Amino acid sequence: MKLAPPRKPSAWPFVAVALLIPIVLAVTLLWIQAEYSRWETLRVGAQQSYSRRSQLVDLLSTMRAAETSERGYALGGDDQSRARYVAAEGAVRRELRNLFRAYRQEPSPPQIGELSRIADAKFAEMDEVIHLYDRLGAAAARSRINEGDGQRLMAQFEQLVGHIFRREIQVGDQRVKAFRARAAWIEWMMWGIAAIASVALTIILTQLWRQRRAKYKAALAAYEAAERNQTILNATADPIVIINPSGTIETINAAVTRVLGYTPEAAERRDIAMLSDIAPGADNFMKRIRLADGSLRTSFLPEQPIRTQFGETILFDVALGVMRLPDGDHIVASLRDTTERQRLDRLKDDLISTISHELRTPLTSVIGALSLLRADAAGALPEEAQELVQIAESNGQRLIRLINDMLDIDRIEAGNFRLATAPLDLRDVVRRACNDHAVLATSYAVTLDCQLPNELLMVEGDEARLLQVLANLLSNAVKFSPEGGKV
């Protein structure tokens, strides 16, 4: 199955995530800032409510202290009481101004103005008592006190302060509840954000871990594949050289070091011309090696001289192949030493020559004896015996021709083979071939039907070679015909 090339990664998902994360963080920070502002507003409001209640308590206490000082002065004319009264009056008016400022920004402020009016009326009544004491004495002052205006005004002041205080308690309680609710809401949201962030971080870390594992597995698979390939290369007996698209040696196997003497450090990144001239010329290496459309025009280079590290030259048959890789087509050159093949060829040639010469001598004697028998040298033979002797002689001559064919192989390989052409009747060649194979046809239960025309069939040819061709055709036809068939 053909593997699909890896897809180029898209940058858009990474850009989207890179933009989305800052946006989410910015929105989260703005929301937290807004929630904190609301929370801070509620906290400050609750604190202000408590402060106002404290101010109201101080105001009421100071007003009571002023009234006590005024009564003490009216009863005994104590100057210290009068001084305390004056200080208390100033303190009350300051506290009223502070309350007015504190409630000025309230959407529905309480009756601070009414409280100030009652306080003014109360201080006016107490001033009057003090002036009566100063002009008419203690009896007049006590008489004015007994009229009850001061007590009535003080009761109104206390009642209004109590009303404002209760209202402030209610408002304060509401603000405290709202503050606590907002604080709880913020806390819940922070936990939610933390949970979402934890889940997102877990997902991101899981994805990163999976990617890391996938990269590790891919790298491990590539390493194991490379190790297997290198092991296969090193286990190969023939030297193998992998050449990159620029024509330099990229990888060699152990056989290159063992046979040619080159170490990987000495061979890798060196031009292939260091080893052999399999790609002569000055053009691009792929053009010189004749690579076009992913295939080689010539994939086998016989008996190429290969230079060894030791300065020797050895003949190798070079088989070339194409290996498709992402960085381009690489050439795989497998070198097969021709020394053993040449030795075997010599042995074969010697064996054929020896057998041929050793067989020709007895066969020649046998054929000569058969020829004498056929010429009645030993007396006349019956017609059936005459025919058998002729067939034996013909097959003996066929064996001589087969031996000559083996010798012709040597002549062909040496370039010395010649055809002995002459005018001949093709009918005679066909008749001899049929006669030679009559016995073979009988042994295979096949009928051999030889039909020849009456007129001459003159051709220019080598009778022995034509007979050889016909013999091969008839022999195959007889052997592969069904029993009872006809050739």
Side-chain angles (χ1 to χ4, degrees), residues 382-446:
E383 184 178 351
E384 293 82 2
Q386 183 77 15
E387 184 178 352
L388 291 174
V389 168
Q390 184 178 356
I391 292 173
E393 182 185 1
S394 177
N395 280 281
Q397 291 175 349
R398 181 167 173 256
L399 283 174
I400 291 292
R401 288 195 297 272
L402 289 175
I403 293 171
N404 291 334
D405 290 341
M406 289 190 293
L407 294 175
D408 286 341
I409 294 175
D410 290 338
R411 298 191 189 102
I412 292 172
E413 291 180 349
N416 297 324
F417 180 74
R418 296 289 184 272
L419 290 175
T421 59
L424 56 91
D425 185 358
L426 193 59
R427 294 179 302 170
D428 294 337
V429 178
V430 173
R431 187 181 296 107
R432 286 181 59 187
C434 290
N435 292 334
D436 290 345
H437 289 78
V439 175
L440 178 67
T442 302
S443 65
Y444 277 90
V446 173

Side-chain angles (χ1 to χ4, degrees), residues 36-103:
Y36 178 78
S37 298
R38 286 190 286 269
W39 177 80
E40 184 66 15
T41 300
L42 292 173
R43 186 190 67 80
V44 170
Q47 187 175 6
Q48 287 176 348
S49 176
Y50 179 79
S51 177
R52 289 167 188 168
R53 279 181 279 173
S54 179
Q55 287 178 330
L56 289 170
V57 171
D58 291 342
L59 175 64
L60 183 59
S61 176
T62 306
M63 180 61 80
R64 286 174 176 170
E67 184 184 44
T68 300
S69 299
E70 176 259 343
R71 293 289 187 270
Y73 181 75
L75 293 175
D78 185 10
D79 291 338
Q80 291 183 355
S81 296
R82 184 166 183 172
R84 286 196 295 271
Y85 166 75
V86 172
E89 181 182 6
V92 168
R93 296 192 182 281
R94 284 194 302 274
E95 290 171 358
L96 284 172
R97 287 194 298 271
N98 292 335
L99 283 174
F100 181 78
R101 284 194 295 269
Y103 284 103

Side-chain angles (χ1 to χ4, degrees), residues 134-353:
D134 291 340
R135 289 198 319 270
L136 303 177
R142 285 196 294 272
S143 175
R144 181 70 181 92
I145 291 172
N146 291 332
E147 290 178 2
D149 291 339
Q151 187 176 2
R152 179 178 55 79
L153 289 171
M154 189 64 185
Q156 291 179 357
F157 187 86
E158 291 177 348
Q159 183 179 5
L160 187 54
V161 168
H163 173 73
I164 295 172
F165 189 85
R166 288 189 296 275
R167 177 185 178 278
E168 196 60 46
I169 290 175
Q170 184 178 4
V171 171
D173 290 343
Q174 291 175 353
R175 289 179 176 175
V176 168
K177 289 180 181 179
F179 167 75
R180 290 176 177 172
R182 180 61 61 177
W185 163 253
I186 292 175
E187 182 180 3
W188 184 85
M189 287 301 298
M190 293 302 293
W191 278 110
I193 292 173
I196 293 173
S198 299
V199 172
L201 182 61
T202 301
I203 294 173
I204 292 173
L205 291 176
T206 301
Q207 289 298 113
L208 290 175
W209 172 249
R210 288 178 178 175
Q211 292 179 1
R212 189 67 178 270
R213 289 282 298 174
K215 288 182 179 178
Y216 168 74
K217 288 182 179 179
L220 183 60
Y223 171 77
E224 291 176 349
E227 285 293 308
R228 285 195 298 271
N229 293 337
Q230 191 63 42
T231 301
I232 293 171
L233 283 175
N234 291 333
T236 304
D238 292 335
I240 295 178
V241 180
I242 298 177
I243 310 165
N244 62 30
S246 65
T248 58
I249 299 171
E250 185 164 301
T251 305
I252 62 173
N253 68 343
V256 173
T257 304
R258 184 177 64 255
V259 176
L260 302 179
Y262 294 101
T263 63
E265 294 77 13
E268 291 172 3
R269 303 305 171 189
R270 300 287 298 277
D271 196 278
I272 187 61
M274 178 186 72
L275 289 178
S276 175
D277 298 326
I278 60 173
D283 274 340
N284 177 275
F285 172 73
M286 290 305 179
K287 290 183 179 179
R288 289 185 282 127
I289 204 70
R290 303 183 67 189
L291 176 70
D293 300 328
S295 61
L296 290 164
R297 294 291 179 266
T298 303
S299 59
F300 183 76
L301 304 174
E303 298 187 354
Q304 292 293 308
I306 304 297
R307 290 177 285 274
T308 70
Q309 176 75 17
F310 315 108
E312 299 175 319
T313 299
I314 304 175
L315 293 180
F316 285 86
D317 290 336
V318 180
L320 301 177
V322 182
M323 182 169 60
R324 311 297 298 269
L325 293 177
D327 60 340
D329 292 337
H330 289 56
I331 303 299
V332 180
S334 177
L335 312 181
R336 173 63 60 87
D337 191 352
T338 62
T339 304
E340 182 64 17
R341 177 170 60 82
Q342 291 174 351
R343 187 184 69 84
L344 293 177
D345 287 343
R346 286 193 299 271
L347 290 175
K348 179 197 69 174
D349 295 341
D350 293 343
L351 178 63
I352 291 174
S353 179

Side-chain angles (χ1 to χ4, degrees), residues 362-379:
L363 276 174
T364 302
S365 299
V366 170
I367 292 171
L370 291 172
S371 178
L372 290 174
L373 286 174
R374 188 167 56 82
D376 297 334

